[in-house]
Amino acid sequence: MLDAAFAVFATKGFGRVSIEEVCEAAGYSRGAFYSNFATLDELFFALYRERADLIASQVTEALAQDGPGLDVPASVDRVTEVLLLDVDWLLVKTDFLVHAARDPAVAEVLLDHRARLREAVADRLRAGGPGALPAVLGGADGAAHAVVAAYDGVTTQLLLDKDVDAARGWLKQLLTALLTDGTGAPGHGGTPARDRRTPGGGTGTPDES
């Protein structure tokens, strides 16, 4: 049912979907729906948590492969390769964000997920020890906030241009610039590399959305 609901929500948007439409897409009766979920909101929350937990686990597993140390460039490569960048998911996530902005109880669900994701990133970044990150970030917690913000920015652009390969390329560049000295080596906020090429082969900065 969650898979069918995901497709319906991504196509029509939360608030425009009925229980009947979800049941029809899943091949379930209304009785079967209510045996699993009390409301459409509850189904939507379950769907969001499923995808959110997947992203958190992807990040955690990718960052855990270095052993006790931390290889920032290698970790960035792995995260950007496996991280869920899916337009349908982003449509559903954006609906959830708008819904949460108007409902404090829903906002708590979203804030909890984002806090868990940041903590997973921060825990791993701490393995690099003092001085492994640019000082301007203010330590692992600040770096984790920056990583999530970079993901948010790249996915906003992805919603508009639908270019997943470019999104992965920009995310890799942003995370490398954030977490290293700009050349790919962990450092202390050195000079950014010049003439960095864009994922499309040119030079310059990402399009603003």
Side-chain angles (χ1 to χ4, degrees):
M1 183 174 287
L2 287 177
D3 289 341
F6 177 81
V8 175
F9 283 133
T11 300
K12 301 193 67 173
F14 183 71
R16 297 183 177 88
V17 174
S18 67
I19 291 175
E20 288 75 14
E21 287 174 303
V22 172
C23 290
E24 181 179 355
Y28 280 75
S29 66
R30 283 181 64 93
F33 176 92
Y34 285 117
S35 69
N36 291 281
F37 305 101
T39 65
L40 203 57
D41 279 16
E42 186 176 308
L43 169 62
F44 192 58
F45 299 161
L47 180 64
Y48 178 84
R49 288 191 184 98
E50 180 186 63
R51 293 304 197 280
D53 288 345
L54 171 62
I55 290 174
S57 67
Q58 286 175 329
V59 171
T60 301
E61 290 171 10
L63 291 174
Q65 292 181 31
D66 285 327
L70 176 67
D71 182 338
V72 171
S75 294
V76 168
D77 284 346
R78 283 196 300 273
V79 168
T80 54
E81 285 171 5
V82 304
L83 192 61
L84 180 65
L85 288 172
D86 176 75
V87 173
D88 284 346
W89 156 243
L90 296 175
L91 289 168
V92 172
K93 175 188 171 185
T94 301
D95 275 345
F96 193 84
L97 176 62
V98 172
H99 189 36
R102 296 188 174 96
D103 188 326
V106 180
E108 285 299 318
V109 176
L110 184 57
L111 289 169
D112 176 68
H113 161 64
R114 292 174 71 82
R116 287 188 289 114
L117 181 59
R118 287 196 303 269
E119 188 59 28
V121 174
D123 281 348
R124 192 57 189 157
L125 293 177
R126 290 188 189 101
L133 298 168
V136 69
L137 294 174
D141 289 330
H145 275 271
V147 167
V148 174
Y151 174 73
D152 287 341
V154 167
T155 53
T156 297
Q157 183 68 27
L158 177 58
L159 272 174
L160 301 177
D161 63 25
K162 310 294 192 295
D163 191 336
V164 175
D165 289 339
R168 290 196 190 282
W170 281 124
L171 185 59
K172 180 177 178 178
Q173 287 192 8
L174 286 172
L175 295 183
T176 299
L178 282 168
L179 301 178
T180 71
D181 63 2
T183 65
H188 308 279
T191 303
R194 291 179 174 82
D195 195 31
R196 185 178 297 279
R197 292 198 170 271
T198 67
T203 59
T205 57
D207 294 336
E208 293 182 0
S209 56

